[in-house]
Amino acid sequence: MKLCMIGTGYVGLVSGVCFSDLGNDVICVDKDLDKINLLKKGQVPIYEPGLSELVVKNYRNKKLKFSTNLKKSIQESDIIFICVGTPTKKGGTSADLSQIYNVAKEISLSINKFKIIITKSTVPVTTGDEIERIISKRNNKNRFSVVSNPEFLREGEAIRDFTYPDRIVIGSNDLKSNRVLKNLYSPLISKGAQYIHTSRRAAELIKYASNAFLATKVTFINEIANLCEKTGINVEDISIGMGLDKRIGSRFLRAGPAYGGSCFPKDTKAITSTANRFKTDLSVIKSVIRSNENRSNLLLSRVYEILNKKIKNKKITFLGVTFKANTDDMRDSSSLSMIPALSKKGAIIRYFDPTGYKKEFEKIKNVSFINNIKKSLIGSDLVIIHTEWNDFKSLNFKQIIKGKKFIIYDMRNIYSPSKIKSQGFKYFSIGR
Ligand code: UDX
């Protein structure tokens, strides 16, 4: 099939590349010429394991094209995926849909034959209705169909998540586009993915409800971890004990820092904002947002306690600053609030991250990037394991430092407390 992906961010690029790998002819369009030129050279602007190999392979065999020409790309394709960003509105909580509606206007000017137009971007309930309204201003309704097909891939696992999804959700109000899309996804369905067809509005809400539920699960275990710390219980026992109940499930029950990334913070806010618009109070999700926003302060107060409230001139090393492992994404990472707060109190911060230097800390006083794990640790007073990269999972701290021992605050519960303590280190972790 001939597909056009509009927007080459995480969702657009990964889905486009994976669709081309399944044998479709895919054009990925972006208005950013530099990005498109880089992609044509096989250079991928995001860190995502396995992605650049697939870009190179499918670009070479001409299944994958890159372009800045939106009109031509739309006209050459049968299925158009809208994959542009829906960030939180500045100073608000609702999703900024300006990019979506601009694209809808462009599509309305370019329809030359029947098109299936799909939102893969995460969009609030009724956005599909509005896209349909915009396009029908210039086109007869039998010339196009607007469908919702939310994407559930995780950064760092994106290719696997695309190829082996738990489910494929198609929200369309007509059966013809449903048939075409079932066919498009048939290679994944035959490998075991569940395919569900719903109304367009339901598909839009499934995405938000899923992300809000996962964010709730993480926040729930984070709060239980707080209680475990006060009662001398190991939160991991709780996660295992709860997770074995099939109704609960063991995933997304790892306690840690505040959740971050490009989706959970944005989508939890957006769903409450949509609910407000429909005069419905999503009080559980609102409380999750509040709890998560407070979590970095809570962990910071633990840091102050660990250092006996003497932060000035303390050398603190962060291992990992991205919001999770296997990504270079800094969006809403809890390090973005913790590092400036510690710097303000006079700490000297060094950080190591496998994805390198971060411009986000450029202007923060006394913060420096060290390009080597060992060097970043030597001379520290406190080491904070912030992100669960494999690189940090089997460090021999005893061998690394010869002299003064640092304190370790393991925010991802990577190490066994008894093992590290037996090596003479002061060790703190989350909920145990
Ligand atoms: C998420 C959804 O999982 C994905 O389906 C959607 O398409 C996009 O949003 P992503 O943002 O890539 O994916 O990250 P995810 O792996 O879900 O983690 C989100 C946050 O929760 C991270 O900050 C992570 O560290 C945290 N988390 C996750 C925990 O703290 N504990 C867990 O057990 C799981």
Side-chain angles (χ1 to χ4, degrees):
M1 281 181 225
K2 291 191 167 153
L3 316 183
C4 167
M5 317 299 294
I6 306 177
T8 56
Y10 244 99
V11 169
L13 186 59
V14 172
S15 328
V17 170
C18 291
F19 274 131
S20 71
D21 205 50
L22 292 176
N24 299 287
D25 294 300
V26 181
I27 312 176
C28 289
V29 194
D30 204 291
K31 56 185 180 196
D32 183 341
L33 178 64
D34 293 340
K35 207 174 181 183
I36 290 297
N37 284 338
L38 275 182
L39 285 164
K40 283 181 178 170
K41 285 187 217 149
Q43 291 173 26
V44 176
I46 47 179
Y47 177 94
E48 183 61 42
L51 186 59
S52 63
E53 289 84 343
L54 286 187
V55 168
V56 171
K57 174 185 157 199
N58 290 292
Y59 185 67
R60 271 199 196 134
N61 69 20
K62 299 197 167 41
K63 287 307 228 183
L64 182 64
K65 287 185 193 160
F66 296 104
S67 172
T68 51
N69 189 333
L70 186 55
K71 186 168 188 158
K72 188 163 175 270
S73 306
I74 292 170
Q75 291 187 334
E76 284 176 8
S77 309
D78 304 310
I79 305 179
I80 319 295
F81 283 93
I82 303 178
C83 308
V84 293
T86 53
T88 306
K89 263 189 194 158
K90 280 209 173 78
T93 53
S94 62
D96 176 354
L97 298 174
S98 53
Q99 293 185 64
I100 297 273
Y101 294 145
N102 284 339
V103 166
K105 274 181 214 143
E106 296 275 356
I107 294 174
S108 78
L109 298 171
S110 313
I111 291 185
N112 56 339
K113 55 181 175 182
F114 182 79
K115 308 276 171 197
I116 297 180
I117 297 144
I118 302 176
T119 46
K120 240 195 195 310
S121 310
T122 302
V123 292
V125 177
T126 68
T127 304
D129 304 358
E130 181 59 16
I131 294 173
E132 188 173 282
R133 200 188 59 77
I134 293 171
I135 299 177
S136 60
K137 275 189 195 165
R138 287 175 183 270
N139 300 276
N140 193 304
K141 279 196 177 163
N142 62 15
R143 301 267 286 163
F144 71 96
S145 169
V146 178
V147 175
S148 165
N149 169 217
E151 184 49 65
F152 300 98
L153 51 84
R154 289 164 300 166
E155 295 183 17
E157 321 271 345
I159 298 193
R160 202 203 69 88
D161 282 354
F162 182 92
T163 318
Y164 301 99
D166 289 343
R167 79 300 206 187
I168 293 153
V169 177
I170 299 295
S172 76
N173 298 340
D174 69 290
L175 293 175
K176 182 180 169 192
S177 48
N178 178 40
R179 268 198 308 277
V180 175
L181 291 171
K182 198 165 186 182
N183 189 24
L184 174 69
Y185 278 108
S186 59
L188 308 187
I189 298 167
S190 64
K191 276 193 255 168
Q194 295 284 330
Y195 180 92
I196 67 160
H197 178 221
T198 65
S199 70
R200 190 168 60 208
R201 287 186 178 188
E204 289 170 340
L205 189 55
I206 285 170
K207 173 67 194 254
Y208 278 105
S210 301
N211 272 356
F213 189 81
L214 291 172
T216 304
K217 217 173 164 188
V218 170
T219 306
F220 183 89
I221 202 66
N222 283 344
E223 288 200 349
I224 295 293
N226 297 341
L227 179 61
C228 288
E229 284 174 19
K230 297 274 165 62
T231 48
I233 295 170
N234 184 340
V235 71
E236 285 174 355
D237 289 341
I238 308 301
S239 299
I240 294 168
M242 284 174 65
L244 285 171
D245 183 329
K246 287 197 177 70
R247 292 168 302 173
I248 297 173
S250 58
R251 295 172 75 190
F252 280 69
L253 279 182
R254 274 179 291 111
Y259 64 71
S262 64
C263 293
F264 283 8
K266 163 177 88 72
D267 294 349
T268 43
K269 283 182 204 144
I271 191 176
T272 58
S273 167
T274 302
N276 288 345
R277 192 153 56 85
F278 289 95
K279 305 212 175 341
T280 304
D281 184 22
L282 295 182
S283 63
V284 172
I285 305 174
K286 282 182 186 162
S287 138
V288 165
I289 297 169
R290 251 197 330 275
S291 173
N292 192 62
E293 284 176 351
N294 194 35
R295 182 138 187 92
S296 294
N297 285 336
L298 208 122
L299 297 195
L300 276 173
S301 52
R302 189 96 203 275
V303 171
Y304 303 148
E305 252 172 56
I306 290 170
L307 292 173
N308 293 323
K309 305 219 158 54
K310 293 185 189 107
I311 312 294
K312 203 166 168 51
N313 294 327
K314 283 279 162 28
K315 295 192 178 94
I316 303 180
T317 297
F318 271 72
L319 288 182
V321 288
T322 54
F323 81 97
K324 65 170 192 177
N326 300 322
T327 178
D328 59 354
D329 201 336
M330 288 294 289
R331 281 177 286 178
D332 273 306
S333 172
S334 58
S335 70
L336 290 173
S337 54
M338 287 200 270
I339 289 182
L342 290 166
S343 146
K344 216 167 166 190
K345 288 212 176 278
I348 298 156
I349 318 264
R350 293 179 298 179
Y351 69 93
F352 169 83
D353 192 283
T355 58
Y357 173 80
K358 302 293 167 202
K359 63 177 182 344
E360 285 81 356
F361 301 123
E362 204 169 64
K363 297 210 168 83
I364 315 288
K365 213 172 140 194
N366 287 329
V367 179
S368 52
F369 170 65
I370 310 287
N371 192 16
N372 176 293
I373 302 183
K374 210 168 159 184
K375 275 192 195 149
S376 76
L377 298 178
I378 293 169
S380 295
D381 295 298
L382 171 68
V383 172
I384 294 178
I385 305 176
H386 175 267
T387 314
E388 71 285 23
W389 285 92
N390 281 342
D391 312 48
F392 309 145
K393 287 187 179 161
S394 41
L395 295 174
N396 188 337
F397 293 110
K398 211 171 167 189
Q399 215 173 53
I400 290 172
I401 55 159
K402 305 263 151 48
K404 186 187 71 164
K405 283 203 171 82
F406 41 71
I407 307 169
I408 299 168
Y409 187 7
D410 178 359
M411 292 186 179
R412 298 287 181 170
N413 291 354
I414 288 177
Y415 288 95
S416 141
S418 54
K419 218 166 158 185
I420 296 279
K421 282 179 188 163
S422 73
Q423 293 173 9
F425 287 94
K426 267 195 185 165
Y427 175 85
F428 301 87
S429 53
I430 301 282
R432 45 183 208 169

